[in-house]
Amino acid sequence: MPEAARETSCDWTVTGMDCGSCATKIKDAVARLPGVSGVEVGIMSERLRLTLDETQTGKDRIEKTVRALGYEIAPRTASAKKEFVLPRQAAVEKTDADADVNHAKHDHASHNHAGHDHGLKAAGTKQDESSHGSAGHIHDDPADRSKRWFQTAKGRLVIFTAFLLGAAWIIEYLAPEIGKWAFVAACLIGVAPVAQRAFAALRMGQPFTIESLMTIAAIGALFINAAEEAALVVFLFAVGEVLEGVAAGKARDGIRALANLVPKTAQLVTGDTTREVPAASLNVGQTVLVRPGDRIPADGEIVDGTSGVDESPVTGESVPKTRGPGDAVFAGAINTEAALRVKVTKGAEDNTIARIIRLVEEAEEARAPTERFIDRFSRWYMPAIVAVAALVALVPPLAFDQPWDTWVYRGLALLLIGCPCALVISVPASIASAMSTGARRGLLMKGGAVIEAAAKVDVVTFDKTGTLTHGRPQVTDVVPFGATTEAELLAVAAGVETGSSHPLAIAILNKAKDAGVAALSSQDAKALTGKGVVATVGGAPAWVASPRYAMENGGLEGLGLRQATIFEEDGKTAVAVFREKTPLGLIAMRDEPRADAKDAVRQLTAMGVTSVILTGDNPRTASAIAGSLGLKFEADMLPEDKLAYIREIGSKGGVMMIGDGINDAPALKQASVGVAMGSGTDVALETADAAILRDRVTDIPATIRLSRVAMANIRQNVTIALGLKAVFLVTSVFGLTGLWIAILADTGATVLVTLNALRLLRFNPERES
């Protein structure tokens, strides 16, 4: 059997990762196993994915390796995917009066790992709290998510180490002669689980971890008679673990919140009765009842009822929209007014919310170039720091006869300050926060690479129809001739067009309806290919046709033709309405720009971004639209022309292409960033690099604005991480700061960059700066 045939894609949830080094440890340890390839670890999504040849390494060995490093791991099964594959908090029961509930579905705390060898206890024994909860670089227990910090395993470790340190100080005060040994005992007891983790990582070929550096520093401090400071460092390390866990948890909350948008249950309609069923069990074609105040349980189409639907949980659009029979609705949207019956069009695993969550999770794999550079940098940075620390500890005493205690102490301080946790987490924390902020507002970007590319965009190219315009012609002018009134003109035209699905016909029928004009009864409608339509209206023939055809058949005179030409010069489509040799008037229509298109172009110009329309329309129509919006245009463009144009300008700088995700697919792919507009269609979410869920052109500058702010946040984080380390590396070498300051600086930098990234969760990209 070929090698590829034995390979399978495997997917796990890994809980407990709270910094960049956690992901690096897991990835490196697992990648060393035979038969393992394509390892991807997502810190914020708590996900491990890889390709595995089970003839060389079994899944149980992968799980055992991860647990040996101090993390919990559980397979992501098909059912987990259906439940949106994100960790959940405990479920909260829903009441009729409570429309905003916590729809927890997947409690990872319930996974029973009994029988697995966690690498810490004998096989066949269930790992208890002390075995996992007290080990070195303690990691978040899923069951701890709803608890206060002091109720968690990490918190209890902090309290325990604080008790040991306090007891040592009391003993030293009461019995100074044995005080030193009390601190030694406190240090050894506190550092033992850290050393256990360091040894586990060492066995897997990872000598340069924070646990190993911590162990060396603590034990080394004991040898140079700094027992009190060694015990204090162990305590501060535990405090730092709590702070990192809390910060990482907050960073994930924004992503977890997406999973809580879909209700846990639905009212399934069966004949004349309804019954409550799990929302995840709904199948395509079934009908559900959505009461006022309830969230819609599935993507679907309204079959009965008209109501206001608040789509803000999905698209960020704050104003409810009136939806009626035939209209599509999203899972997670809120029904605000009247009862609706909705036919399910997508299963739970494929609804808009589920696809958004999968997109956000998978986006971690599309790492930004900055993140990849930092990852490569950190791999040689750690060994370099260890080498420098060794030189600081050895060279002065050996070469210059300096005191051993002084320089070994300074070398140990360098080891602690040199840990790159803050640097490694600086980029993914910002990217995750930015993606979460965007997703809440219907701005989806597929990973850090897209965010970084969007931040560098200086040209935005728009497809016209359906992007800058609504994609639906609207009547702009009604010009009756002679004694004919506007109402009479519309009544005849609507009569001719009754029953037609042509976009121009629909525009005329909508205009008549809005004007309160009833269409005249008609029959025997017949299309005149490329020319118009003729029908018997009110007992006599009537035509709605092109001005040229009307002119040739006595339905339009010279002045009328001149007016039609003026309309066409304005980018409008004009049709003539006439009876036998009797002109009745002209109706002009145009696919009007979206209401916010002009403001979007203004915002882009203010941001230093050039806007261009790329359209297949004729230059006259393109010029009319472009002129009203104040941007450049390229007309008569086929898909290959758009592709060539974007390739040309893309060679000079970043270019973003905005299209519908179908006709413009080649151009979307060629652009630095391809953005698909549309209300959550499959193509919009899967074809392009980014998607705008609500049809608002102003979301384009908002996307660029969010990307630029995210990249600025990343630069701030990198500066904080490297700046603090540079300062304390120098102060440690010169003896100005010691071990406890070094561990505080390391932990403090990690917490600072995470908190700085969390600021993006409050950023509003729609607000102009």
Side-chain angles (χ1 to χ4, degrees):
M1 181 181 293
E3 184 75 16
R6 295 197 298 264
E7 293 183 345
T8 56
S9 296
C10 302
D11 204 349
W12 286 274
T13 293
V14 177
T15 53
M17 295 183 290
D18 50 25
C19 69
S21 66
C22 297
T24 301
K25 278 193 298 183
I26 293 173
K27 184 174 182 178
D28 289 349
V30 172
R32 290 174 181 270
L33 299 175
V36 174
S37 61
V39 181
E40 292 289 346
V41 180
I43 304 172
M44 295 303 161
S45 59
E46 299 180 300
R47 186 175 198 171
L48 167 63
R49 292 205 302 184
L50 51 83
T51 300
L52 181 64
D53 181 352
E54 293 193 65
T55 62
Q56 300 184 58
T57 298
K59 293 180 181 178
D60 57 340
R61 187 175 176 188
I62 300 290
E63 295 178 359
K64 181 178 178 181
T65 298
V66 173
R67 291 193 185 100
L69 292 171
Y71 306 90
E72 274 302 329
I73 181 171
R76 291 192 180 214
T77 61
S79 61
K81 178 181 178 182
K82 193 166 186 175
E83 294 173 350
F84 309 132
V85 301
L86 283 182
R88 302 289 192 275
Q89 297 180 354
V92 178
E93 284 195 10
K94 179 182 184 300
T95 65
D96 288 342
D98 182 13
D100 188 12
V101 293
N102 178 2
H103 305 285
K105 290 186 182 179
H106 195 69
D107 184 3
H108 288 274
S110 66
H111 287 297
N112 182 359
H113 300 294
H116 290 297
D117 180 4
H118 286 221
L120 299 172
K121 297 186 71 177
T125 339
K126 185 175 179 178
Q127 183 185 16
D128 61 18
E129 177 184 297
S130 61
S131 65
H132 179 66
S134 62
H137 195 172
I138 295 276
H139 305 293
D140 290 329
D141 187 329
D144 288 342
R145 287 189 180 129
S146 60
K147 298 178 181 178
R148 304 287 295 275
W149 72 268
F150 51 82
Q151 296 173 317
T152 65
K154 283 184 177 184
R156 288 192 293 271
L157 178 64
V158 168
I159 294 171
F160 177 64
T161 53
F163 172 78
L164 291 176
L165 189 60
W169 271 321
I170 292 173
I171 292 172
E172 183 184 44
Y173 177 76
L174 297 176
E177 65 279 1
I178 61 172
K180 170 188 173 182
W181 300 109
F183 283 112
V184 170
C187 175
L188 291 177
I189 294 172
V191 85
V194 183
Q196 183 182 16
R197 292 295 181 220
F199 181 67
L202 180 63
R203 283 190 305 165
M204 295 177 190
Q206 299 180 54
F208 304 117
T209 64
I210 181 59
E211 289 87 357
S212 63
L213 301 188
M214 181 67 202
T215 302
I216 294 170
I219 301 301
L222 294 181
F223 279 100
I224 59 172
N225 295 316
E228 182 175 353
E229 192 163 9
L232 179 60
V233 165
V234 171
F235 167 70
L236 291 176
F237 180 77
V239 171
E241 292 297 298
V242 170
L243 293 176
E244 287 182 0
V246 170
K250 287 187 177 296
R252 293 188 183 107
D253 285 344
I255 298 175
R256 290 189 188 124
L258 293 171
N260 295 330
L261 294 176
V262 180
K264 187 176 182 180
T265 60
Q267 298 295 322
L268 179 64
V269 177
T270 307
D272 295 329
T273 63
T274 62
R275 59 190 176 92
E276 188 172 83
V277 299
S281 69
L282 293 174
N283 296 316
V284 175
Q286 292 182 320
T287 300
V288 294
L289 173 67
V290 185
R291 298 165 298 189
D294 284 354
R295 289 182 184 267
I296 296 171
D299 280 14
E301 180 181 296
I302 297 174
V303 294
D304 183 46
T306 300
S307 179
V309 177
D310 179 4
E311 298 175 348
S312 60
V314 184
T315 67
E317 184 63 66
S318 59
V319 179
K321 295 183 177 180
T322 300
R323 301 294 190 206
D327 288 337
V329 289
F330 300 128
I334 303 169
N335 179 20
T336 62
E337 297 171 2
L340 297 173
R341 289 178 184 262
V342 177
K343 183 174 72 175
V344 178
T345 57
K346 291 186 185 295
E349 68 276 10
D350 291 321
N351 68 40
T352 300
I353 296 296
R355 285 183 287 127
I356 291 172
I357 291 171
R358 286 203 296 273
L359 184 150
V360 172
E361 284 188 315
E362 293 167 3
E364 280 196 85
E365 298 172 17
R367 299 194 300 167
T370 300
E371 184 178 1
R372 292 196 295 268
F373 169 76
I374 288 177
D375 187 49
R376 292 193 300 269
F377 173 78
S378 65
R379 291 182 181 275
W380 63 260
Y381 167 84
M382 278 290 282
I385 285 293
V386 173
V388 170
L391 290 175
V392 167
L394 298 175
V395 171
L398 293 175
F400 304 103
D401 199 28
Q402 295 291 308
W404 278 97
D405 287 0
T406 299
W407 289 98
V408 168
Y409 181 89
R410 294 179 184 180
L412 295 176
L414 276 181
L415 281 181
L416 293 181
I417 195 61
C419 179
C421 287
L423 184 62
V424 174
I425 197 67
S426 59
V427 178
S430 297
I431 295 297
S433 295
M435 289 194 301
S436 178
T437 295
R440 292 201 310 271
R441 291 172 169 82
L443 315 177
L444 303 183
M445 290 178 282
K446 297 182 179 179
V450 175
I451 290 177
E452 187 161 341
K456 298 175 180 178
V457 162
D458 48 31
V459 176
V460 171
T461 57
F462 292 94
D463 172 53
K464 181 180 74 68
T465 304
T467 302
L468 280 176
T469 66
H470 292 283
R472 301 182 302 273
Q474 297 175 339
V475 172
T476 58
D477 301 272
V478 178
V479 182
F481 295 155
T484 305
T485 65
E486 183 175 316
E488 291 171 343
L489 177 62
L490 286 173
V492 173
V496 174
E497 299 288 11
T498 296
S500 174
S501 60
H502 191 280
L504 297 182
I506 292 173
I508 291 173
L509 292 170
N510 288 337
K511 178 63 177 179
K513 180 180 178 181
D514 293 342
V517 175
L520 295 177
S521 61
S522 64
Q523 57 188 6
D524 301 329
K526 183 173 66 174
L528 305 171
T529 305
K531 299 172 183 177
V533 181
V534 61
T536 301
V537 177
W543 287 260
V544 175
S546 70
R548 182 181 297 276
Y549 179 85
M551 190 73 180
E552 293 171 351
N553 290 275
L556 195 63
E557 298 174 347
L559 290 176
L561 182 60
R562 188 177 305 169
Q563 181 61 60
T565 303
I566 293 173
F567 284 146
E568 290 177 352
E569 288 174 350
D570 289 337
K572 301 174 182 178
T573 299
V575 294
V577 183
F578 63 98
R579 288 189 182 274
E580 190 75 42
K581 303 297 182 182
T582 306
L584 299 179
L586 289 171
I587 298 177
M589 291 160 282
R590 185 168 68 180
D591 185 9
E592 292 290 275
R594 297 180 186 273
D596 65 335
K598 190 169 186 176
D599 187 43
V601 173
R602 179 193 60 77
Q603 290 185 37
L604 288 170
T605 302
M607 296 166 65
V609 177
T610 302
S611 302
V612 183
I613 293 179
L614 304 182
T615 178
D617 284 342
N618 60 69
R620 190 163 53 195
T621 301
S623 176
I625 295 292
S628 66
L629 298 178
L631 67 163
K632 302 176 182 179
F633 72 91
E634 295 288 335
D636 289 331
M637 299 196 82
L638 298 174
E640 54 266 32
D641 298 324
K642 294 181 181 180
L643 180 65
Y645 181 86
I646 287 178
R647 183 179 290 126
E648 179 184 351
I649 62 174
S651 64
K652 304 172 185 176
V655 57
M656 177 182 283
M657 172 65 189
I658 321 298
D660 62 11
I662 303 174
N663 298 330
D664 299 306
L668 289 170
K669 285 297 182 185
Q670 178 63 42
S672 306
V673 181
V675 180
M677 289 191 70
S679 300
T681 63
D682 289 333
V683 172
L685 287 174
E686 295 169 8
T687 302
D689 302 309
I692 304 298
L693 291 190
R694 50 190 185 183
D695 292 330
R696 287 176 39 169
V697 189
T698 50
D699 282 347
I700 301 303
T703 298
I704 296 175
R705 195 176 290 118
L706 176 61
S707 299
R708 290 181 177 181
V709 170
M711 292 309 298
N713 189 274
I714 287 172
R715 289 191 290 272
Q716 293 165 5
N717 280 349
V718 172
T719 301
I720 291 171
L722 290 180
L724 280 177
K725 291 193 181 301
V727 169
F728 285 100
L729 282 172
V730 173
T731 57
S732 296
V733 170
F734 287 98
L736 301 176
T737 53
L739 290 176
W740 67 276
I741 290 291
I743 195 66
L744 272 184
D746 171 59
T747 298
T750 302
V751 172
L752 279 177
V753 299
T754 306
L755 293 178
N756 187 50
L758 292 178
R759 293 191 305 114
L760 290 174
L761 296 175
R762 299 193 301 272
F763 176 70
N764 182 2
E766 298 168 32
R767 185 181 300 120
E768 297 181 59
S769 54

